[in-house]
Every structure is written in C-alpha cells, then in structure tokens.
C-alpha cells in the first residue's frame, strides 16, 4: 500500500504497532489509534506507512520577543526577554482556548515561518533573549522539534521554557522535561468533570505530570490556573487545588490565577472580575503557599513577590513590568537573608513589557 504524503514530515517517537494493524501514539494519554493516512486529534501527528510522523517539524506560526513574566514565570530570570514561538494544533480541546487561532489551526494555514533549531538559538543570542519558550500551542505535540531546539539553545547558553498543559504520557515526559529549564504548566481546574466536559482530558494525568516535574526533574516549575466564572472559580475548588499544591508540591511552587476573556467556544461567560482573582490569591496564601499571583489585570500588590520569612517586598511587579528589586546577589531577601526559590541574577533584566515580533532566517 502506498503511504500518504503529509509534505515535510519527520519520524515521530513514542508509538507502537497494534495487533489489529493500527498504530497507537503513546505521546499523550489520548493514545490515538490510527490507520494509514490518519491524523491524531492534535492534527500534527499522523500515521505514514508503518510509523508515526510529525508534520510540523521546523515550521512555526511566528517568533516574538516577550517578557518572561508573560509566560507567566515570575521566579525565572525576572525582567528578561524570551524568544517565544509555537507551531499549530493541540492535544486538548478546551472550549475556552485563549490561543485558538493557533491551537486549532491546520498546519498549512499558519506555519509560514521555517527555522532550524540552530537558527532559533542564534536568533535568541543575537536578540539578547536569555531563553527560548515553546508556547502559544502545546509543545508536547511537537516534541521532536522542541527537544532539538532546546539542545541547540543549551549549546549557546540559552535557557529553555515550556508552556504546556502537561497532558503527556509517562514515556515521553522524561525526554521532554529533561530538555526544559523551566515550565509553566496549566492546572485548568480541579475536578475531573471540568477536564472531561471542557477539555476532553483528565485531571489525574496533569496532576501526575506536576508531581513528576517537581520531584523528579531539575525543571523550575510554576503553575497557572485560568479562572472562568461559574466553571472553576468557587472558593471550595480554589481551596482544594491550593491544598493539593501545598501538600504534594510544597510551598515554593508559584501559583498564578489569571483572568479569562470570552473566546473560541465559550463566548457566554463574562471576563473574570479582578475581585475573583484577588479572592483566589488570598485563599491560596491561607493554605501556606508562599508565592501566589494574579494575572492579566493590573494588581501590583497581587503580582509582587514577598519574602516568606519577613514579608519584605522582593520583586515589585505591575503586570509585566518590574517596579522594584529587594533581592541580594545570592537571590536572598536583602532585609533578612531568607532565600527566595527560583533563578535570579544580581539585578533584574530591563526588557519591560514590550512585545517585538522578529523574523528568523530559515537555515
Ligand atoms: S499526541 Fe496527538 S496523535 Fe498522539 S495521542 Fe496525543 S492527540 Fe493523539
């Protein structure tokens, strides 16, 4: 039988053949079982002949210099710029997707820019970015490309950041996170019903990933929960989520509660009121979590970092702008000497809140 031509494709990892002739993708818990020529739910992985392929290697929907606080990462080289890019497709189907033009894109609609891993790493150095972020759509589904880009970045001293929903299989996660210096993982809600109804995913799989990254890797971890009015913003659910983070991951993992805006297939909900984000932050802090933030609103009090020992303000922050610095050269509180978890330098970067699209030479 002739195999289907998907255009430019590379062999995909993490799959096996089934007795009935289909091929099962093991990259994420969906375990798509495919006949010749079929694509998985993520659209970008497909069966070609006897194997799985990735159809988006080396192609991107665009490159942009962003503030690292936008990922969001508040404890990883604050104030620096990060060269950000994504591809197309996603392995979740969130009705509230805030990046649906990319995640729902069919590859050829959007992937206009071509770039080798080495070209991306060189562009990061040239532009002064301290890190490269795999973001906009979930990098798990383009693992082979992300891992190669990460290796090229590390060769030239550029760090790597994954922005992901953490919905991937056990076999793939060790390779994926070994390549990442930092990750912001979405914890989209705290009930199986939320994940099943709104994302067709599973909460347990994401909790497994969070525990794995915290306890079995060197990847710096922060968590984001987008609060959607009436869906995942009850005080009980926020308390349960925060208690889980405190008990299973510990007090030093930063937790971001960010504001939803109506998008994609969820146009019937209002934007998250700032008071909801502030309430969530208070609930989470009461469980003992040290670094809890509000996001997508102006709230300098809720976006600054405070010393867990003496409550001095360590990093002033207003949305993506650094407004104050109270850490010493060791990344400890300049007032009392208590360490703040994360990766800090003697001074913050000066990138500010800018967003600057860039074009990368293909080779
Ligand atoms: S990565 Fe894509 S093809 Fe593989 S199981 Fe997940 S959705 Fe299916």
């Amino acid at each position: 039988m002739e195999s289907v031509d998907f255009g430019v494709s590379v062999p995909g990892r993490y799959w096996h053949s089934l007795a009935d002739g289909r091929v099962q993708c093991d990259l994420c818990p969906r375990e798509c079982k495919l006949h010749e020529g079929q694509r998985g739910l993520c659209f970008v992985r497909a069966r070609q002949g006897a194997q799985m392929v990735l159809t988006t290697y080396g192609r991107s929907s665009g490159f942009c210099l962003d503030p690292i606080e936008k990922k969001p990462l508040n404890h990883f080289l604050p104030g620096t710029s990060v060269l950000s890019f994504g591809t197309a497709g996603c392995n979740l189907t969130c009705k509230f997707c805030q990046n649906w033009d990319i995640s729902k894109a069919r590859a050829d609609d959007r992937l206009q820019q071509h770039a080798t891993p080495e070209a991306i790493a060189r562009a990061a150095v040239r532009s002064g970015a301290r890190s490269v972020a795999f973001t906009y759509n979930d990098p798990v589904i383009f693992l082979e490309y992300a891992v190669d880009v990460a290796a090229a970045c590390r060769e030239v001293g550029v760090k790597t950041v994954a922005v992901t929903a953490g919905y991937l299989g056990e076999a793939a996660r060790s390779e994926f996170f070994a390549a990442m210096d930092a990750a912001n993982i979405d914890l989209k809600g705290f009930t199986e019903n939320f994940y099943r109804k709104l994302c067709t995913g599973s909460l347990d799989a994401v909790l497994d990933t969070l525990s794995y990254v915290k306890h079995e890797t060197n990847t710096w971890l922060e968590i984001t929960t987008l609060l959607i009015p009436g869906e995942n913003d009850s005080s009980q659910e926020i308390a349960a989520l925060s208690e889980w983070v405190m008990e299973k991951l510990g007090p030093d993992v930063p937790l971001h509660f960010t504001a939803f805006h109506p998008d994609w297939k969820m146009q019937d909900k209002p934007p998250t009121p700032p008071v909801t984000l502030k309430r969530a932050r208070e609930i989470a802090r009461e469980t003992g979590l040290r670094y809890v933030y509000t996001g997508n609103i102006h709230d300098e009090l809720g976006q600054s970092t405070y010393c867990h020992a003496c409550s001095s303000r360590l990093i002033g922050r207003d949305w993506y702008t650094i407004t104050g610095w109270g850490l010493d050269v060791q990344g400890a509180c300049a007032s009392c000497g208590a360490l703040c978890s994360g990766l800090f330098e003697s001074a913050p970067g000066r990138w500010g809140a800018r967003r600057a699209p860039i074009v990368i030479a293909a080779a």
Side-chain angles (χ1 to χ4, degrees), residues 14-26:
Y14 306 106
W15 56 271
H16 67 278
S17 301
L18 297 171
D20 64 7
R22 293 180 298 170
V23 163
Q24 176 176 317
C25 176
D26 300 317

Side-chain angles (χ1 to χ4, degrees), residues 221-299:
L221 172 64
E222 302 193 20
I223 298 172
T224 295
T225 300
L226 182 81
L227 290 181
I228 305 173
E231 295 291 354
N232 63 357
D233 66 340
S234 73
S235 296
Q236 294 80 352
E237 187 166 339
I238 291 164
L241 182 154
S242 305
E243 282 159 13
W244 184 90
V245 173
M246 180 66 191
E247 185 187 330
K248 303 292 184 187
L249 308 182
D252 290 319
V253 175
L255 176 58
H256 302 252
F257 291 110
T258 58
F260 157 89
H261 61 267
D263 220 330
W264 186 232
K265 293 183 178 167
M266 196 177 275
Q267 304 280 348
D268 57 329
K269 301 279 179 191
T272 315
V275 68
T276 300
L277 301 169
K278 293 175 186 178
R279 169 173 55 84
R281 178 171 176 269
E282 284 315 308
I283 292 169
R285 279 162 52 84
E286 280 163 17
T287 68
L289 292 175
R290 292 173 171 169
Y291 310 113
V292 188
Y293 301 104
T294 61
N296 294 349
I297 59 168
H298 282 291
D299 175 22

Side-chain angles (χ1 to χ4, degrees), residues 25-28 30-32 34 40-42 45 52 91 141:
C25 176
D26 300 317
L27 182 56
C28 93
R30 286 194 186 281
E31 300 183 340
C32 295
L34 305 176
L41 175 134
C42 59
R45 304 184 78 83
M52 292 293 298
N91 58 339
I141 62 168

Side-chain angles (χ1 to χ4, degrees), residues 7 10 18 24 27 39 45-46 48 77 102 107 113 129 151 154 170 190 195 221 232 248 279 281 296 303 321 326 328:
V10 299
L18 297 171
Q24 176 176 317
L27 182 56
R39 293 176 184 265
R45 304 184 78 83
Q48 187 174 43
L77 301 172
I102 290 170
Q113 293 204 38
R154 284 177 169 176
E170 268 185 57
F190 204 64
Y195 267 88
L221 172 64
N232 63 357
K248 303 292 184 187
R279 169 173 55 84
R281 178 171 176 269
N296 294 349
Q303 290 163 353
T321 302
D328 67 16

Side-chain angles (χ1 to χ4, degrees), residues 138-159:
D138 203 303
V140 162
I141 62 168
F142 60 93
L143 174 141
E144 294 81 2
Y145 187 33
V147 165
D148 286 356
V149 173
C153 287
R154 284 177 169 176
E155 283 278 310
V156 293
V158 171
K159 299 209 178 290

